[in-house]
Amino acid sequence: MIKRILVPTDFSEQARNAFEVAIAIARRTGAGIKVMHAVEVPYGSGFSATGDLTMQTDSMEHVYVLQLLEKTKADMARLVNSVDHAGVDVVQQVDVNRPINQIKRTIKEDGVDLVVMGSKGSSGLDEFLIGSNTEKVVRTASCPVLTVKQRNPEFTVNEIVLASDFKREIRHAVEHFKTFQALFGARMHLVYINTPGAFESSSNISQKLEHTAQKYGLQNYTINVYNDVMEEDGILHFAEDIRADLIMMATHGRTGLSHLLSGSIAEDLVNHTNIPVLTFSLK
């Protein structure tokens, strides 16, 4: 059940695209949306998480931070008003905090069911939603995270790729994924990427995938074994071949493993594909 959606924003085009997708999901689920931006101020500036002055600080710095907060609130209002959200409950939030800390705090305090984030990919590392912040949220969030690059205001999902090594317990992730599948009435394509370094016979893998599908009570699905040089490339090529609307992956975070649940594969996919990616951390 998706009742509360969090949309962290840096007011970029990709972040606006994420807000549009969140609106589309909210219209299907009746969920409320919180659009959030965290202003990171210099350590010791004396501002609390609500933007209040809590200790003696330099007056010029004080004025600068207050002006920054006012500008941010104006940017937030413009963003919210630029997207048609009629019938959807949208709340705006501007805080003084490190972005990743505020995202995690809001997820916990608000009982967030889904985070929808914009991502530019691997090139713009100086932006709020890029690189380390996106990867940290994907890796550590206690709820599913949907990353979006391109504009897709209707956000209809017909074909879903569920990529995994299917060797670990992913029940908690699958329950979230099943909810998303049911929301759109989509078909789920279970895929194992067969690589030269971890090659198995197609018949053995197909049996494992079918066992997984039965174990987790999946419906409306297909079983697929796809050969490629690397797991990430295989997922991308398979998703492109079937014209997938969404890629789903569970992640354990960065554990140093070479399998799909290592975390790095999920984060690389977020950076390198224009297809929306839904991840859930099993940590």
Side-chain angles (χ1 to χ4, degrees):
M1 203 63 184
I2 300 175
K3 295 182 179 179
R4 298 177 183 86
I5 301 173
L6 175 65
V7 182
T9 185
D10 65 348
F11 312 113
S12 65
E13 178 184 349
Q14 288 76 13
R16 186 182 184 278
N17 295 344
F19 182 37
E20 286 186 329
V21 167
I23 293 288
I25 295 171
R27 288 204 166 107
R28 285 179 176 268
T29 62
I33 295 175
K34 175 173 282 188
V35 187
M36 186 214 80
H37 180 86
V39 177
E40 194 165 4
V41 299
Y43 177 75
S45 63
F47 280 83
S48 71
T50 58
D52 298 322
L53 187 64
T54 58
M55 59 193 298
Q56 188 66 33
T57 187
D58 180 81
S59 59
M60 290 300 293
E61 184 179 292
H62 182 195
V63 170
Y64 167 75
V65 175
L66 287 177
Q67 289 177 339
L68 180 60
L69 285 169
E70 289 304 310
K71 178 183 182 303
T72 302
K73 291 175 182 177
D75 290 340
M76 178 71 78
R78 274 193 293 272
L79 168 66
V80 172
N81 292 331
S82 72
V83 177
D84 178 16
H85 58 275
V88 177
D89 180 25
V90 177
V91 175
Q92 305 172 38
Q93 177 175 315
V94 175
D95 283 296
V96 175
N97 203 344
R98 290 183 60 207
I100 184 63
N101 290 347
Q102 189 59 39
I103 291 170
K104 292 169 70 173
R105 176 179 176 177
T106 303
I107 290 172
K108 181 178 180 180
E109 292 182 352
D110 289 10
V112 171
D113 302 301
L114 176 68
V115 175
V116 184
M117 298 184 70
S119 174
K120 295 186 183 71
S122 58
S123 57
L125 296 177
D126 59 333
E127 297 292 340
F128 164 69
L129 289 175
I130 307 310
S132 60
N133 277 303
T134 301
E135 291 171 2
K136 287 176 184 176
V137 176
V138 167
R139 196 161 64 240
T140 64
S142 57
C143 66
V145 178
L146 176 65
T147 51
V148 176
K149 283 195 182 78
Q150 297 183 329
R151 190 159 186 253
N152 189 0
E154 301 302 321
F155 194 62
T156 55
V157 177
N158 297 310
E159 309 295 337
I160 297 173
V161 172
L162 174 56
S164 176
D165 61 5
F166 300 100
K167 294 176 181 177
R168 309 175 214 279
E169 178 60 49
I170 58 172
R171 178 177 300 278
H172 295 302
V174 171
E175 291 305 314
H176 289 292
F177 295 162
K178 285 166 62 178
T179 296
F180 222 79
Q181 178 192 18
L183 182 63
F184 294 94
R187 180 168 50 174
M188 186 182 292
H189 303 271
L190 281 68
V191 63
Y192 178 95
I193 307 304
N194 219 0
T195 62
F199 187 82
E200 291 191 48
S201 72
S202 295
S203 60
N204 286 345
I205 296 174
S206 296
Q207 288 178 9
K208 290 179 182 178
L209 267 61
E210 186 61 46
H211 173 73
T212 298
Q214 297 298 321
K215 178 180 179 180
Y216 299 130
L218 299 183
Q219 297 181 350
N220 192 16
Y221 64 90
T222 68
I223 299 296
N224 305 272
V225 180
Y226 196 90
N227 298 324
D228 214 313
V229 177
M230 297 176 61
E231 290 97 335
E232 179 193 340
D233 291 343
I235 295 169
L236 293 176
H237 294 155
F238 177 75
E240 290 167 358
D241 285 352
I242 69 163
R243 298 185 178 180
D245 304 297
L246 179 67
I247 297 172
M248 292 177 168
M249 290 191 68
T251 173
H252 276 297
R254 289 194 184 277
T255 61
L257 301 173
S258 62
H259 296 295
L260 296 181
L261 295 181
S262 66
S264 60
I265 298 293
E267 292 157 22
D268 286 345
L269 280 173
V270 166
N271 279 330
H272 298 139
T273 181
N274 287 325
I275 301 170
V277 180
L278 182 70
T279 56
F280 180 73
S281 175
L282 296 175
K283 276 190 174 181

